[in-house]
Amino acid sequence: MGRQAIMLIGNGTTETVVLGVAILVLPFLGAYVGFTTLRAGFQHSRLSQLIAADGLELDTSGLPRRPSGRFEREAADAFFLTVKADLDQHPDDWRHWYRVARAYDIAGDRRRAREAMSRAVELEREKRRQNVNE
């Protein structure tokens, strides 16, 4: 592919140069996306294990589900509000951010779930660093 990309760039027309550069760049972009996705997955898995060890995983067994298996929207939203109220009491605790991320996911808001989980990862990392420095 690299040879084909160089040939396209060497052709000199705007279209072939753009295509040649894209052929060279896209594998690196794909590797970066794959790496960051895997890293995030490992970080989330680590937090999940810590939460489970602390006995703080969310209990969704009482939430009603649709025939598709998804949670009923109204119940998930009400559940989210209770979890969010806990976060409001402890805004600097990564555990509560993790729980809010899970509640967002249960409520179907994937974008906010990712943002909250990123915050949880960041806070947990800071806590670990503080513990090492003490």
Side-chain angles (χ1 to χ4, degrees):
M1 283 185 60
R3 185 171 41 136
Q4 290 293 329
I6 299 300
M7 287 174 47
L8 286 169
I9 292 170
N11 193 352
T13 67
T14 303
E15 295 84 9
T16 60
V17 169
V18 169
L19 188 58
V21 169
I23 289 173
L24 290 175
V25 170
L26 284 178
F28 293 105
L29 181 62
Y32 171 76
V33 168
F35 171 75
T36 57
T37 301
L38 281 173
R39 183 181 66 188
F42 287 130
Q43 291 169 336
H44 300 172
S45 177
R46 181 177 184 284
L47 294 188
S48 174
Q49 292 170 356
L50 293 172
I51 285 288
D54 290 345
L56 294 174
E57 188 59 62
L58 295 177
D59 180 16
T60 59
S61 61
L63 293 178
R65 294 180 182 258
R66 297 179 186 165
S68 66
R70 292 184 176 180
F71 294 101
E72 290 286 341
R73 183 65 183 208
E74 296 79 22
D77 289 344
F79 181 73
F80 170 79
L81 291 176
T82 63
V83 175
K84 177 77 166 80
D86 291 340
L87 174 65
D88 293 339
Q89 298 295 318
H90 308 280
D92 295 328
D93 187 347
W94 70 266
R95 290 169 185 84
H96 292 281
W97 279 99
Y98 174 88
R99 290 168 56 90
V100 163
R102 295 279 297 127
Y104 270 129
D105 187 51
I106 290 166
D109 193 341
R110 303 291 189 269
R111 182 183 60 82
R112 286 192 175 118
R114 284 189 299 272
E115 291 171 1
M117 189 63 79
S118 294
R119 181 72 176 138
V121 167
E122 178 184 313
L123 288 171
E124 191 276 334
R125 185 179 304 130
E126 288 175 13
K127 183 179 181 212
R128 246 185 310 128
R129 286 182 185 150
Q130 288 174 354
N131 291 341
V132 169
N133 292 334
E134 291 177 355

